């Protein structure tokens, strides 16, 4: 590692020095104001110049396929495993390349390329998601990307590009209704001039859910985005979003109950309720120093609150009472980036240097409610964890030749942890640091084809609870960051106007994996991940197109008692083929899509248990496929749509969850009719 790091450091010093020396006072050309799209390289860039595997899902695709949650869109991403733990798509659990999908802890979710979506270095779990209605597109960077994005990205990055203002002012209202009293409605408006634009949107989803009881949920989201460019030198952007969720918790079923009726929900969960709210905002200022040099600063903050109330029949604190597991996480951070685009040794060069500071507080409480439906209670135990993160990173994109690009990068991260145990009154402190690198290559010497390769060092910082565990500190140890060594090679080709194909192969060595040894956390685990991912798009005519994406992968433990076993929730094979037909019909446009997602069998535990336990907690998760179809008809400014998910009405599940009582059934066949009007 030291040899690779020194080599990359030397390259970056040479490439960066000339960029800093060439700041000029030239004025920049007039440009129309538009959203600053942060993509795979930390600045606006074409995918073809990125040394890695990137997939995108556009708002047009969301509309045509009737996708109502970001999680459902993951079925269009090769190598992405979406574990829909309760069949409603509102709790994001996404894993890439065989890494743990639980609460998307190994996938970093960002808003517009920089702002973390409610995640905390104190706890990398993700509980909420941006509604599909406010998404312009999603970019998924498959594979470790910590040099540009930091911790939490050891499996990849999901970059959610939100909607922004348009030059042609518009307003749109939409409504859809389906079985189980499912309702999705909202309104949005956008507009702008050469110096200012705006977007505002509201969305509500609600449903009785597919379970017979205690399955209702509702979410509300409100988003505002403002941008201004008063002159050629200065840009300003403001973003604000609020999200509310009120959902019942239908819980799990044992093996017998699932076989008898997977739609049932046990009375033991009748008083379970999940309440969440999220507020997040950021302000971005960009200064164009001249046509080659740009300085930008981002200030962001957020607040996330999650109250999970568990009814009296399951309460650990007694009958006719309930248990409240209450968490809230205020967070704050800032980025400062300098970018230089210039000629270096008569070759194009893009240089990026950045600094970041992030802090958050993770407050965790358990309280006893005095009746089954109480929403406040008497304190039982809790702790406060505080995290401060300091980071510096440098990244370069240097054209050795017009058709050959090298991308070196380095990042240093230092994390300070502090935990205050409110029950015992003790305070503990710890720290963690990581020095990581990446080196990528892109070759474009073949017409309409790019070859790329990359090697990188990834890392995942420990949560504050693990880093400050008193048993670890008492033993004179400290929990280090989990790390990965990543190797990737791939090709993107468009040999004809009607054919496109992407192919990626990867190796991922996961080290310092945090496991429990005699009940105490330790960096004793290792795993090995390898696979092939592919995407193909075929459009033989203007009316018909075919697409398919998939992955062949294997993720196994490399040491310990489970050496050679498959990792939980790491299917060997996933594939989604689909077809689209589009034609004029009357005065409008008819679009029909049908697609099928197949996920091979998975294991729910490290033992790779095959026999199903009576309580439903252990045993394999059988493979399943979900056939879906949509019909869209656009007539002038009106859109009519019909969507059906799980057309074949398959019984399946994606999660065994011992805490919630076993098998978590997924939804049966669902359908909806909708209409939208733009004016």
């Amino acid at each position: 590692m030291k040899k690779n790091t020194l080599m990359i450091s030397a390259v970056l010093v040479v490439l960066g020095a000339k960029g800093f020396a060439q700041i000029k006072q030239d004025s920049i050309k007039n440009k129309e104001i538009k959203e600053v799209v942060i993509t795979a390289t930390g600045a606006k860039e074409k995918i073809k110049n990125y040394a890695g595997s990137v997939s995108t899902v556009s708002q047009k695709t969301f509309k045509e396929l009737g996708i109502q949650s970001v999680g459902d869109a993951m079925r269009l991403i090769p190598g992405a495993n979406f574990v829909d733990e309760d069949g409603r798509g509102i709790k994001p659990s996404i894993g890439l390349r065989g890494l743990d999908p639980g609460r998307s802890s190994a996938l970093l979710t960002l808003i517009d390329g920089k702002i973390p979506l409610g995640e905390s270095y104190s706890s990398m779990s993700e509980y909420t998601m941006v509604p599909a209605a406010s998404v312009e597109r999603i970019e998924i960077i498959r594979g470790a990307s910590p040099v540009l994005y930091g911790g939490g990205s050891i499996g990849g990055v999901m970059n959610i590009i939100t909607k922004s203002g348009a030059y042609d002012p518009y307003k749109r209202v939409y409504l859809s209704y389906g079985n189980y009293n499912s309702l999705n409605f909202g309104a949005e408006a956008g507009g702008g001039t050469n110096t200012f634009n705006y977007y505002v949107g509201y969305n509500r989803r609600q449903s009785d859910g597919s379970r017979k009881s205690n399955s209702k949920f509702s979410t509300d989201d409100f988003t505002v985005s403002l941008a201004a460019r008063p002159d050629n030198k200065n840009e300003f952007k403001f973003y604000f979003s609020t999200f509310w969720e009120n959902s019942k918790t239908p819980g799990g079923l044992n093996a017998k109950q699932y076989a008898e009726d997977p739609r049932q929900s046990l009375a033991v969960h009748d008083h379970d309720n999940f309440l969440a709210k999220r507020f997040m905002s950021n302000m971005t200022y960009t200064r164009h120093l001249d046509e080659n040099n740009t300085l930008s600063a981002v200030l962001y903050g957020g607040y996330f609150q999650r109250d999970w109330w568990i009814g009296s029949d399951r309460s650990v604190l007694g009958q006719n009472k309930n248990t409240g597991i209450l968490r809230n996480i205020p967070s704050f951070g800032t980025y400062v980036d300098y970018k230089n685009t210039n000629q270096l040794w008569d070759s194009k060069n893009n240089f990026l240097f950045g600094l970041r500071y992030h802090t958050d507080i993770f407050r965790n409480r358990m309280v006893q409610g005095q009746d089954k439906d109480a929403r406040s209670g008497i304190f039982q135990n809790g702790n406060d964890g505080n995290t401060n993160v300091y980071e510096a990173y440098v990244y370069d994109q240097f054209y050795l030749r017009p058709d050959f690009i090298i991308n070196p990068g380095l990042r240093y991260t230092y994390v300070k942890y502090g935990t205050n145990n409110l029950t015992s009154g003790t305070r503990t402190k710890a720290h963690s640091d990581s020095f990581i690198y990446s080196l990528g290559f892109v070759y474009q010497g073949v017409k309409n084809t790019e070859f790329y390769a990359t090697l990188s060092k990834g890392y995942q910082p420990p949560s504050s609870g693990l880093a400050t565990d008193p048993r670890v500190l008492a033993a004179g140890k400290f929990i280090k960051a989990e790390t990965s060594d990543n190797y990737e090679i791939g090709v993107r080709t468009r040999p004809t106007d009607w054919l496109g194909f992407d192919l990626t192969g990867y190796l991922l060595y996961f080290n310092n994996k945090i496991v429990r040894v005699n009940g105490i956390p330790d960096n004793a685990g290792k795993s090995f991940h390898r696979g092939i991912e592919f995407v193909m798009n075929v459009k033989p005519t203007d009316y018909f197109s075919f697409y398919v994406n998939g992955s062949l992968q294997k993720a196994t433990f490399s040491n310990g008692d489970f050496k050679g076993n498959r990792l939980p929730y790491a299917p060997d094979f996933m594939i989604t083929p689909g077809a689209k037909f589009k034609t004029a019909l009357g005065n409008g446009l008819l679009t029909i899509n049908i697609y099928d997602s197949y996920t091979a069998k998975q294991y729910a535990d490290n033992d790779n248990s095959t026999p199903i336990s009576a309580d439903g907690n252990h045993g394999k998760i059988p493979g399943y496929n979900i056939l879906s179809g949509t019909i869209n008809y656009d007539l002038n400014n009106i859109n009519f749509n019909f969507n059906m998910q799980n057309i074949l009405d398959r019984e399946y599940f994606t999660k065994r969850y011992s805490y919630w009582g076993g098998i978590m059934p997924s939804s049966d066949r669902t359908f909806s009719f909708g209409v939208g009007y733009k004016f």
Side-chain angles (χ1 to χ4, degrees), residues 270-309:
D270 283 350
H271 298 274
D272 295 353
N273 200 191
F274 180 90
L275 303 170
K277 55 186 176 183
R278 182 191 72 222
F279 304 92
M280 55 186 301
S281 181
N282 67 78
M283 295 177 288
T284 303
Y285 171 65
T286 301
R287 172 71 176 182
H288 299 276
L289 304 174
D290 57 43
E291 62 183 1
N292 298 318
N293 297 278
T294 303
L295 190 66
S296 62
V298 181
L299 186 68
Y300 66 87
Y303 177 80
F304 172 68
Q305 179 176 317
R306 189 224 74 173
D307 295 347
W308 211 326
W309 294 93

Side-chain angles (χ1 to χ4, degrees), residues 372-393:
K372 295 180 179 181
D373 296 304
R375 294 297 176 261
S376 62
I378 301 171
F379 174 82
Q380 302 296 310
N381 59 68
N383 57 75
D384 290 340
N386 177 238
T387 305
N388 289 277
V389 184
Y390 308 86
E391 296 185 289
Y393 48 94

Side-chain angles (χ1 to χ4, degrees), residues 38-259:
I38 309 296
T39 60
T41 59
K44 188 177 180 182
E45 188 56 78
K46 296 178 180 178
I47 289 177
K48 72 175 186 177
N49 295 332
Y50 179 64
S53 48
V54 183
S55 299
T56 63
V57 183
S58 67
Q59 175 59 217
K60 180 180 178 182
T61 301
F62 272 80
K63 171 188 167 185
E64 290 185 349
L65 298 186
I67 296 171
Q68 295 193 3
S69 75
V70 170
D72 286 330
M74 293 302 100
R75 297 192 173 100
L76 304 176
I77 306 299
N81 185 22
F82 173 48
V83 176
D84 187 1
E85 70 178 47
D86 58 12
R88 299 177 293 182
I90 52 177
K91 299 285 190 302
S93 289
I94 303 164
L96 293 173
R97 297 185 169 177
L99 290 167
D100 182 11
R103 295 283 182 262
S104 304
S105 58
L107 174 72
L108 180 63
T109 304
L110 300 174
I111 300 296
D112 296 331
K114 289 288 187 185
I115 314 305
L117 179 63
E119 285 179 328
S120 157
Y121 271 74
S122 298
S123 174
M124 297 304 291
S125 298
E126 183 66 73
Y127 282 94
T128 65
M129 186 52 65
V130 173
S134 63
V135 174
E136 181 64 30
R137 76 175 185 276
I138 295 174
E139 302 169 346
I140 301 292
I141 304 171
R142 309 192 305 274
S145 308
V147 165
L148 286 168
Y149 297 108
S153 62
I154 202 164
V157 175
M158 177 163 60
N159 184 15
I160 300 175
I161 306 299
T162 58
K163 290 182 178 179
S164 59
Y167 292 104
D168 296 325
Y170 77 95
K171 302 176 183 67
R172 186 173 80 97
V173 293
Y174 55 91
L175 169 71
S176 67
Y177 181 79
N179 57 337
Y180 300 117
N181 287 320
S182 298
L183 188 65
N184 185 3
F185 67 89
E188 61 183 8
T193 66
N194 286 337
T195 58
F196 175 79
N197 67 35
Y198 68 91
Y199 170 83
V200 58
Y202 169 76
N203 173 261
R204 178 175 175 87
R205 285 185 67 204
Q206 64 182 56
S207 175
D208 291 343
S210 62
R211 306 283 288 277
K212 289 182 177 178
S213 64
N214 212 49
S215 188
K216 290 184 178 181
F217 75 90
S218 66
T219 63
D220 295 89
D221 182 275
F222 177 72
T223 300
V224 176
S225 177
L226 307 173
R229 185 165 184 169
D231 53 45
N232 294 331
K233 295 285 188 180
N234 301 288
E235 293 183 24
F236 303 87
K237 185 175 181 180
F238 171 79
Y239 172 87
F240 173 80
S241 174
T242 179
F243 173 90
W244 301 76
E245 178 187 342
N246 184 344
S247 60
K248 300 295 184 179
T249 306
L253 303 172
N254 64 34
K256 181 180 178 182
Q257 293 161 348
Y258 181 80

